[in-house]
Amino acid sequence: MKIYRDLSPSQRTIMTPGPVEADPRVLRAMSFPILGQFDPEFTDLMNETMEMLRRLFQTGNTWAYPVDGTSRSGIEAVLTSLIEPGDKVLIPIFGRFGHLLTEIAERCGAVVATIETEWGSVFDPEEVIHAIHREKPQIVAMVHGETSTGRMQPLEEIGRACRELDVLLVVDAVATIGGTPVEVDAWMLDAVIGGTQKCLSIPSGMAPVTYNSRAEAKIARRKKIERGLRDPLSKVETDGVAIRSNYLDLSQLQDYWSPARLNHHTEATSMLYALREGLRIVLEEGLEARFARHLLHERALVSGLQGMGLELYGNPACKMPMVTCVSIPDGVDGEAVRSMLLQQFGIEIASSFGPLKGKIWRIGTMGYSCRKRNVLHLLGALEAVLTYVQAPVHASAGVQAALRVYLSEEEGL
């Protein structure tokens, strides 16, 4: 009989746009004993998690809770619950994940209108607002931070326009939540999806979502089955089309997260422990301090890459603080470099997709992975590998440039 070896994953320095290294405190929290999902001690943890999510999303929304599943489960839950067949949905696309929103919306039966801009840039908000006036959608769905290109879309003006025109604005903030401001109320965002495995430094497996009363009203109009304690299958007639998914039905999930605790699924207990601890870490650090930390390490990384002689990809005016895209030098096998970084130095960086496949590397500085040791380790290793493959780089200049950023920060310059 085959004997399987003990699980012993290699220690890695993960510098991708996700997943990233989980905070050790989060991993420790996942080892705690299991509680029943209706144990008062556990429901107290659920309530605390919702409170902390409201602070993270900077919102007063009633509904802020996690959907069990990877980030895509949160995106599907929001879109599936909001989009009725025949609804018009406008999706501005500036990278791979705008195409994902399009696919999901189409599967929900939406009439999808798209606008696109060149990868490596974002939309002038006026372009999106003009398209809203032209297309007259019920919903606008767009990405905040597009990890495929390393760009971040300004949302405040778009949110204001959607509110004035009574259009729901749904935002994929999977890559940005916890690493840069996502001001749900101030930017008038109606529904926002976050991710655990990026700037929150929690393993993938939950998707925090929040939505306001405008979104809740549309969900309520679609609700066909109201689960009661005495008659769990009692029918309630509404003027909407029933939500097609059971697992991803926000109307049922919010009943589960409400004081009524109407049973919907068995909560992912250890993942909730992880999310609660990850949120506690974020709030202990403070949102502003955390955002400033991401900017500092981005500045050091960019200085190091440019000092090495590498060229950054994309418009710098709309760069994500936590994702840096680097053009692969001519004549260099990008995958061979990534493989050597992983095998010889234990460092993982990412390639890219679609038209950028083989043209750029993507380096993440997210959450727990966003720290000085990682940045300097990566720069030194990348210099060594590129020198080994005889790429035209300035040996040792990258680490020195990053060091100058860190030393200037420490000296308050």
Side-chain angles (χ1 to χ4, degrees):
M1 186 177 75
K2 182 175 181 179
I3 303 298
Y4 295 93
R5 62 183 175 83
D6 289 345
L7 180 64
S8 182
S10 298
Q11 186 69 44
R12 302 294 196 200
T13 299
I14 306 180
M15 301 291 282
T16 72
V20 302
E21 299 168 30
D23 191 291
R25 283 174 52 182
V26 169
L27 296 176
R28 185 168 65 248
M30 294 182 76
S31 71
F32 294 159
I34 299 297
L35 292 168
Q37 64 177 341
F38 298 117
D39 185 319
E41 188 175 330
F42 187 73
T43 56
D44 283 346
L45 297 179
M46 293 172 71
N47 290 336
E48 289 177 357
T49 301
M50 288 191 284
E51 289 174 10
M52 290 190 281
L53 282 173
R54 292 185 192 101
R55 292 175 63 185
L56 174 70
F57 282 115
Q58 300 182 63
T59 184
N61 288 346
T62 298
W63 300 115
Y65 58 83
V67 176
D68 290 353
T70 63
S71 300
R72 193 167 300 188
S73 73
I75 296 170
E76 290 214 20
V78 169
L79 293 181
T80 298
S81 298
L82 287 176
I83 297 172
E84 296 184 70
D87 278 353
K88 192 164 203 180
V89 179
L90 173 65
I91 302 177
I93 299 172
F94 59 102
R96 180 199 183 197
F97 293 100
H99 290 289
L100 173 63
L101 295 179
T102 300
E103 179 192 338
I104 295 171
E106 288 174 342
R107 286 172 179 252
C108 293
V111 177
V112 177
T114 62
I115 56 175
E116 297 193 43
T117 192
E118 183 181 1
W119 286 30
S121 63
V122 296
F123 293 93
D124 183 312
E126 284 301 321
E127 293 179 71
V128 178
I129 294 168
H130 178 75
I132 295 170
H133 282 281
R134 182 183 69 245
E135 300 293 342
K136 297 179 172 53
Q138 281 79 42
I139 297 170
V140 173
M142 66 188 310
V143 175
H144 183 213
E146 179 57 82
T147 54
S148 66
T149 64
R151 303 306 109 182
M152 189 163 68
Q153 173 67 50
L155 294 172
E156 189 170 6
E157 293 178 51
I158 298 169
R160 189 182 311 116
C162 285
R163 188 64 54 88
E164 290 171 356
L165 296 168
D166 196 25
V167 174
L168 291 177
L169 177 55
V170 176
V171 172
D172 168 356
V174 167
T176 51
I177 195 71
T180 195
V182 179
E183 300 182 26
V184 171
D185 289 355
W187 297 350
M188 301 184 185
L189 313 179
D190 294 299
V192 181
I193 306 99
T196 55
Q197 76 278 17
K198 297 180 186 282
C199 294
L200 297 183
S201 287
I202 301 165
S204 178
M206 276 191 164
V209 301
T210 188
Y211 50 94
N212 61 20
S213 58
R214 283 160 44 86
E216 183 186 358
K218 192 170 197 306
I219 294 166
R221 288 196 300 272
R222 304 189 62 196
K223 189 174 183 180
K224 285 288 188 183
I225 299 176
E226 186 170 287
R227 295 187 177 276
L229 293 175
R230 295 184 180 176
D231 185 6
L233 296 179
S234 60
K235 299 282 184 178
V236 177
E237 292 302 320
T238 71
D239 59 1
V241 177
I243 296 168
R244 294 180 176 180
S245 174
N246 174 283
Y247 187 71
L248 301 177
D249 181 345
L250 293 183
S251 73
Q252 293 191 48
L253 285 170
Q254 70 188 30
D255 287 344
Y256 179 71
W257 283 86
S258 76
R261 303 293 177 203
L262 298 184
N263 190 38
H264 175 259
H265 66 284
T266 302
E267 187 51 50
T269 312
S270 297
M271 275 305 305
L272 187 74
Y273 295 165
L275 176 59
R276 181 186 176 277
E277 184 64 11
L279 293 171
R280 199 165 73 97
I281 292 166
V282 170
L283 297 177
E284 280 179 2
E285 182 176 3
L287 291 179
E288 294 305 319
R290 193 173 183 90
F291 302 155
R293 173 166 63 83
H294 281 78
L295 289 170
L296 168 63
H297 296 300
E298 175 206 30
R299 191 162 72 249
L301 175 64
V302 166
S303 295
L305 294 168
Q306 291 178 327
M308 207 184 303
L310 296 174
E311 181 181 339
L312 301 187
Y313 164 82
N315 181 354
C318 53
K319 182 185 177 302
M320 294 175 68
M322 65 291 293
V323 180
T324 299
C325 297
V326 187
S327 296
I328 299 172
D330 290 341
V332 171
D333 183 337
E335 288 305 292
V337 168
R338 286 203 321 120
S339 178
M340 195 169 183
L341 281 172
L342 187 66
Q343 298 303 321
Q344 302 302 323
F345 294 92
I347 300 172
E348 183 181 5
I349 64 172
S351 57
S352 195
F353 316 98
L356 296 179
K357 186 173 178 60
K359 296 182 179 179
I360 66 170
W361 295 305
R362 297 177 302 135
I363 301 172
T365 43
M366 292 178 156
Y368 186 71
S369 288
C370 180
R371 58 191 197 271
K372 180 166 69 172
R373 176 192 174 280
N374 280 16
V375 171
L376 295 177
H377 182 35
L378 167 65
L379 288 170
L382 186 58
E383 285 178 344
V385 172
L386 289 175
T387 300
Y388 183 84
V389 299
Q390 299 183 329
V393 294
H394 308 307
S396 81
V399 172
Q400 293 300 314
L403 271 175
R404 284 193 290 273
V405 170
Y406 287 127
L407 293 172
S408 294
E409 178 73 13
E410 292 170 9
E411 294 167 6
L413 300 179

